[in-house]
């Protein structure tokens, strides 16, 4: 049963072939047996999950279920969950029981899904390997010596190992797409503002966006149907109608114009990854798509601009952690300043402290124009590159990552090398565009992700493009043998 | 631009972060590398470029100025380390 997709499970639940309680218990048993190896969950909510499953079964029996009712999901531990610890992967919030639900959680509760638990992640979503988590690294189910990617590494690993039917993630610079690629699953980061950020612990507010991590594009469409939509509690939420994301999945791709940006197929791209991605593009040609060579000339500036914008916003957002109102508080502070400094110094890990300091530096007196303002201007250039490209093509395709998953410990001591592992995903966040990653094959025995980038609010098209590929390939159905 | 130990201490103070003395040089090294990375931006001429604050150039929404949230002080203070009579406790500020 655990190998089934959300769409298949939903059908089985509605037809009463099995109950949500049976399904939920099955996943809980798998988590108990297999997660000690992976470490993909920070908190498992066994009793809560069973209670939600019982409620879902009652809804199904009463005939007032929606398609997602009774589906067991994992929630990234960045979303506040009323009464359940919400750690954000940090010692700072190890003792934090959220007093309210994030809008995303609230919407899933309304739909009657089951929350199996909260998934591991890089501390405050700052990382590309899940190694900065206070709760220890997550292992990649395809090779437990390798990282699952980050920051939504727990969500990616648990879906890849089928320890949840689907999971949420958040993506500030690639944190859904990069781990989805490295773990061989499907993930979508919607347009900035499409999904509410309310109750999603803020990292870089002008970039953060929540999305889905699933086996298939169809499953992502079903989850996004629940998550997307206007929320007055998020000041940057966009008030635009939400389509049914499953409606266009079956549209054919004849005449679809796919842009291949030469900057994403350049130096630094592993040749085997390149071959795998090229094979996927060939598959799209067979489906009737037309290939157009394009250029995104300012791509190389995305990492530098991001490492100003994201740290600057993080230094501001994380100033709320002061040891006073919630979260970690140091022992025996001698005065108020000591309370702030030691609570923060002891509560945050090294990567978070580095980013706060980079941000504080970039925003400090005399540097604003040279850093933050400059980065906002570069953002415009990057965004204009995409705007120009989308006058010629419908979607853009590229490798999600330049290499397959690297080993745990390989990059953790060198922030710059780690930052460059997101080189192909960051520009999409700076421009606020929707982006996806889908499994496109294997290289060196590890999954390779194909990135699909669309114009603003084109999530339906991305999901359609991904779904059509998944009708003619089976990469997305493969799972790591040792987790069967 | 390279950051020395004194500069790192100044930034740590601005950010209200206690950093152990022995790891200051390590922070100086890593922060210098990060600043060098972001300095790659400086080669681009952006004189006539309008800075982008929001991907869709949307303005902040306005709403009527009235209270919409209920008072949940007790609920929210449950997660604080030290509270008395509805007030957060901190070390004495005024002698």
């Amino acid at each position: 049963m655990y190998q089934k997709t959300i769409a298949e499970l939903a059908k089985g639940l509605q037809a009463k072939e099995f109950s949500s309680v049976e399904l939920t218990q099955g996943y809980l048993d798998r988590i108990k047996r297999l997660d000690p190896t992976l470490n993909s969950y920070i908190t498992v909510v066994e009793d809560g999950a069973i209670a939600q499953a019982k409620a879902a079964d009652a809804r199904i029996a009463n005939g007032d279920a929606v398609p997602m009712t009774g589906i067991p999901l994992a929630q990234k531990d960045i979303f506040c969950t009323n009464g359940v610890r919400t750690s954000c992967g940090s010692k700072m919030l190890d003792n934090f029981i959220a007093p309210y639900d994030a809008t995303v959680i609230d919407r899933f509760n309304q739909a009657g899904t089951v929350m199996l638990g909260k998934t591991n992640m890089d501390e405050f979503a700052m990382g590309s390997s899940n190694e900065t988590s206070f709760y220890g690294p997550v292992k990649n189910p395809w090779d437990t010596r390798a990282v699952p990617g980050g920051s939504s590494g727990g969500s990616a690993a648990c879906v890849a190992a089928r320890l949840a039917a689907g999971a949420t993630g958040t993506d500030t610079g690639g944190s859904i797409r990069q781990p989805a690629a490295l773990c061989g699953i499907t993930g979508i980061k919607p347009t900035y503002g499409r999904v509410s950020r309310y109750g999603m612990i803020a990292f870089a507010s002008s970039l953060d966006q929540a999305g889905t991590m699933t086996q298939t594009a169809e499953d992502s469409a079903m989850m996004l149907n629940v998550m997307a939509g206007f929320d007055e509690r998020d000041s940057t939420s966009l008030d635009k109608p939400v389509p049914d994301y499953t409606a266009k999945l079956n549209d054919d791709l004849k005449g679809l114009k796919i842009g291949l940006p030469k900057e994403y197929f350049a130096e630094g791209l592993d040749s085997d990854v390149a071959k795998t991605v090229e094979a996927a593009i060939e598959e799209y040609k067979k489906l009737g798509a037309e290939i157009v060579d394009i250029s995104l000339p300012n791509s190389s500036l995305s990492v530098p601009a991001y490492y100003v914008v994201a740290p600057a916003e993080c230094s501001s957002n994380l100033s709320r952690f002061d040891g006073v109102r919630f979260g970690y508080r140091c022992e025996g502070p001698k005065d108020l300043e000591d309370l702030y400094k030691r609570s923060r110094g002891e509560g945050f890990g090294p990567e978070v402290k580095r980013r706060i300091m980079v941000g504080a530096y970039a925003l400090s007196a005399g540097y604003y124009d040279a850093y933050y303002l400059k980065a906002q201007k570069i953002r415009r250039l990057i965004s204009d590159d995409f705007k120009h490209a989308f006058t010629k093509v419908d979607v853009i395709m590229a490798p999600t990552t330049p290499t397959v998953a690297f080993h745990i410990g390989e990059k953790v001591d060198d922030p710059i090398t780690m930052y460059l592992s997101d080189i192909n995903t960051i520009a999409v966040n700076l421009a606020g565009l929707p982006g996806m990653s889908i499994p496109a094959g294997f290289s060196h025995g590890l999954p390779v992700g194909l990135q699909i980038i669309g114009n603003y609010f084109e999530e339906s098209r991305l999901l359609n493009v991904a779904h059509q590929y998944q009708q003619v390939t089976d990469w997305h159905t493969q799972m790591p043998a040792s987790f069967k | 631009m390279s950051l020395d130990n004194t500069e790192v201490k100044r930034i740590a103070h601005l950010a209200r972060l206690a950093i152990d003395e022995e790891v200051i040089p390590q922070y100086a090294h890593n922060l210098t590398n990060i600043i060098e990375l972001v300095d790659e931006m400086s080669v681009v001429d952006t004189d006539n470029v309008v800075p982008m604050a929001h991907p869709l150039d949307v303005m902040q929404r306005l709403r009527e100025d009235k209270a919409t949230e209920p008072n949940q002080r007790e609920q929210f203070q449950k997660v604080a380390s030290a509270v008395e009579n509805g007030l957060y406790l901190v070390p004495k500020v005024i002698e």
Side-chain angles (χ1 to χ4, degrees), chain A residues 128 303-304 307 402 411 415-424, chain B residues 37:
Chain A
S128 311
V303 173
Y307 278 98
K411 298 185 180 182
I416 301 294
T417 315
M418 187 69 89
Y419 295 174
L420 290 172
S421 62
D422 286 337
I423 194 159
N424 289 1
Chain B
L37 171 79

Side-chain angles (χ1 to χ4, degrees), chain A residues 97 99 192 230 232-235 237-238 301 304-305 307-308 324-326 329 335-337 339-341 344-345 350 353-354 356-358 361 364 371 373-377 379-381 383 415-416 419 430-432 456-457, chain B residues 1 3 7-8 10-19 27 30-31 33-35 37-42 44 46-47 49-58 60-61 69 75-76 79-82 88-91 93:
Chain A
I97 310 290
Y192 177 77
F230 176 67
E232 63 178 16
R233 296 179 135 179
D234 171 359
S235 65
S237 173
L238 294 168
L301 296 170
Y307 278 98
V308 173
V324 176
R325 290 157 305 151
F326 48 83
R329 184 183 183 121
D335 55 31
L336 189 57
E337 187 169 295
L339 167 67
Y340 292 153
K341 285 187 170 173
R344 291 164 61 76
K353 282 187 272 201
R354 273 198 289 271
I356 290 174
M357 286 166 77
V358 170
Y361 175 75
S364 64
Y371 292 112
L373 191 70
K374 183 84 182 177
Q376 296 285 61
K377 290 179 168 189
R379 257 185 109 164
R380 174 77 62 191
L381 297 178
S383 172
I416 301 294
Y419 295 174
L430 291 171
Y456 299 108
F457 301 105
Chain B
M1 173 94 67
L3 299 187
E7 188 71 351
V8 169
R10 186 184 73 90
I11 301 164
H13 170 69
L14 286 177
R16 298 295 185 271
L17 286 170
I19 306 281
Y27 274 93
N30 283 324
L31 295 184
N33 286 344
I34 297 168
I35 297 300
L37 171 79
V38 307
D39 275 341
E40 287 172 24
M41 296 190 306
S42 62
V44 188
T46 51
D47 282 353
V49 179
V50 183
M52 187 170 110
H54 187 290
L56 297 160
D57 292 318
V58 170
Q60 198 81 72
R61 270 196 328 276
E69 291 289 327
Q75 164 86 338
F76 291 164
V79 289
S81 314
Y88 293 100
L89 298 188
V90 295
V93 181

Side-chain angles (χ1 to χ4, degrees), chain A residues 402-422:
Chain A
T403 65
V404 291
F406 44 91
H407 276 190
I408 293 170
E410 194 180 319
K411 298 185 180 182
V412 75
D413 295 325
D414 181 3
I416 301 294
T417 315
M418 187 69 89
Y419 295 174
L420 290 172
S421 62
D422 286 337

Side-chain angles (χ1 to χ4, degrees), chain A residues 227-305:
Chain A
M227 294 168 77
F230 176 67
D231 180 12
E232 63 178 16
R233 296 179 135 179
D234 171 359
S235 65
T236 58
S237 173
L238 294 168
D239 196 356
K240 249 180 106 76
V242 181
D244 173 1
Y245 290 112
T246 62
K248 292 191 166 175
L249 291 174
N250 294 315
D251 288 6
D252 76 52
L253 302 185
K254 283 197 186 68
L256 178 84
K257 288 201 175 78
I258 299 174
L260 301 184
K262 63 172 188 221
E263 292 80 5
Y264 285 69
F265 292 86
E267 200 195 317
L269 175 62
D270 179 277
S271 61
D272 218 32
V273 170
K275 265 185 227 153
T276 310
V277 168
E278 280 154 18
I281 309 281
E282 282 306 311
E283 207 62 56
Y284 275 104
K285 280 191 200 164
K286 285 189 216 159
L287 290 167
E290 214 178 289
I291 306 302
V292 183
D293 289 320
I294 60 165
S295 172
L296 300 167
N298 292 295
S299 296
S300 66
L301 296 170
S302 63
V303 173

Side-chain angles (χ1 to χ4, degrees), chain A residues 33 63 121 123 165 169 190 193 211-212 215 219 252 272 295 301 330 343-344 367 434 449 458-459 465 475 481:
Chain A
R33 181 162 62 87
M121 54 182 283
E123 184 179 8
T212 66
Q215 291 181 45
D219 287 1
D252 76 52
D272 218 32
S295 172
L301 296 170
C330 68
S343 297
R344 291 164 61 76
Y367 292 119
E458 294 266 286
E459 288 82 6
V465 168
W475 305 117

